[in-house]
Amino acid sequence: LIGWAGYIAAISGVNDKGIAISEKHYDNGPLGKDSRIGTPFQVVLREILEESFTLDDAINVMVNTRRTCSIWVGVGDAKFNTARVFQYSYAELIAWDWMNQ
């Protein structure tokens, strides 16, 4: 988990199940509209590390949260040697992999 003293969320990390996350913030978001009502992305990323056993679990966390801003999120699963990049925003969650780049 990467953060700093007093920081209770995450911006990057790996859990004991082999799920890894990282983010790249976009000031002018790839998908546009943002919202202040919802769960901050840093808390969502920490939740992924705390609760996910698989890539599908991580996707479910992102799908079922009230997203706020536009970022890129990378999620990897060491057990299945796979990863996805997500355009994550208030309005949409779009998955990218080597097949739909």
Side-chain angles (χ1 to χ4, degrees):
L1 178 68
I2 296 178
W4 48 90
Y7 193 65
I8 62 168
I11 56 171
S12 186
V14 180
N15 71 14
D16 61 341
K17 307 297 187 272
I19 299 298
I21 54 106
S22 185
E23 64 83 26
K24 173 62 179 141
H25 185 75
Y26 247 82
D27 288 336
N28 294 323
L31 301 173
K33 189 175 180 182
D34 293 341
S35 172
R36 292 182 184 208
I37 300 171
T39 305
F41 76 87
Q42 302 94 330
V43 175
V44 175
L45 297 180
R46 182 176 178 135
E47 185 178 337
I48 289 170
L49 291 177
E50 289 177 343
E51 298 181 5
S52 297
F53 291 84
T54 65
L55 178 61
D56 287 339
D57 292 341
I59 293 169
N60 285 332
V61 170
M62 290 186 287
V63 165
N64 292 312
T65 195
R66 293 182 74 184
R67 297 178 302 276
T68 55
C69 66
S70 296
I71 60 172
W72 295 94
V73 177
V75 182
D77 186 336
K79 289 182 302 304
F80 296 103
N81 197 29
T82 189
R84 300 285 183 277
V85 173
F86 298 88
Q87 283 180 308
Y88 171 112
S89 79
Y90 165 76
E92 296 181 323
L93 183 68
I94 300 172
W96 295 88
D97 62 22
W98 68 275
M99 296 290 289
N100 66 353
Q101 55 185 330

